[in-house]
Amino acid sequence: MGRLPLLRATITETLRLRPPAPLALPHCTRRHTSVGGVPVPAGSIVIPNLFAAHHDPETWHRPDEFLPERFLEPGAPWRALVPFGCGARSCLGEALARAELFVFLGHILHHFRLEPPVPGALPKLGVTAGTVLRCPPFCVRLVPCHPPESSWPPLFPIGHQSL
Ligand code: HEM
């Protein structure tokens, strides 16, 4: 898992519990095939249900709970984790998306403590289904972990910018 394994596990568990694109993209079969023994005629529209795959109780222990540590333990069902789809038409932006999640979340957590505006009032985990999952608006307090003077240099170097 490399460096910061808990951060990586947290990102992975977030993508499992709430896959941003829960039904991936529709695909059309070009020839007769089968999925898990079920025949699929040519010309069928196939919609992969990634959300269901990520909540299958036969694969995932306590599937509805947020448990990042499941990805730190040996034997985690990695093959069943498909937030970016799978196969020849899986997400082209996966590496970029993963890098962005790692860098941005890592920096935020390094510099701030995240707290609910009212102690104990955590955001609801409910989502609206659609092409992408959407959560209802929520508020969060970002409390700096370090005194202001130690916030320099900034998170990202700002030199060498041309207008
Ligand atoms: C967390 C962020 C993202 C998630 C969860 C995500 C997820 C997905 C999923 C599930 C698919 C459909 C795969 C399938 O049909 O089997 C897809 C397709 C695609 N994604 Fe992403 N994506 C993300 C970010 C990005 C970014 C940042 C880019 C581009 C920079 C991107 C570009 C694409 C493209 C071009 C396709 C179509 C691939 C094809 O049909 O061959 N995605 N993505």
Side-chain angles (χ1 to χ4, degrees), residues 15 20-21 24-25 27 50 83-86 88-93 96-97 101:
L15 291 170
L25 293 175
H27 293 270
L50 309 185
F84 296 94
C86 55
R89 300 300 298 269
S90 66
C91 177
L92 281 178
L96 175 64
L101 287 167

Side-chain angles (χ1 to χ4, degrees), residues 21-104:
L23 299 178
L25 293 175
H27 293 270
C28 182
T29 51
R30 296 166 67 185
R31 51 185 163 78
H32 181 87
T33 184
S34 66
V35 176
V38 178
V40 182
S44 302
I45 302 292
V46 178
I47 299 176
N49 191 340
L50 309 185
F51 189 94
H54 288 181
H55 289 77
D56 182 358
E58 291 186 8
T59 302
W60 303 96
H61 172 62
R62 292 155 65 187
D64 297 324
E65 293 179 34
F66 182 72
L67 300 172
E69 59 272 27
R70 71 171 83 239
F71 291 109
L72 298 175
E73 293 158 4
W78 287 97
R79 282 176 60 83
L81 181 81
V82 283
F84 296 94
C86 55
R89 300 300 298 269
S90 66
C91 177
L92 281 178
E94 175 172 353
L96 175 64
R98 284 190 184 278
E100 285 181 338
L101 287 167
F102 184 78
V103 169
F104 281 96

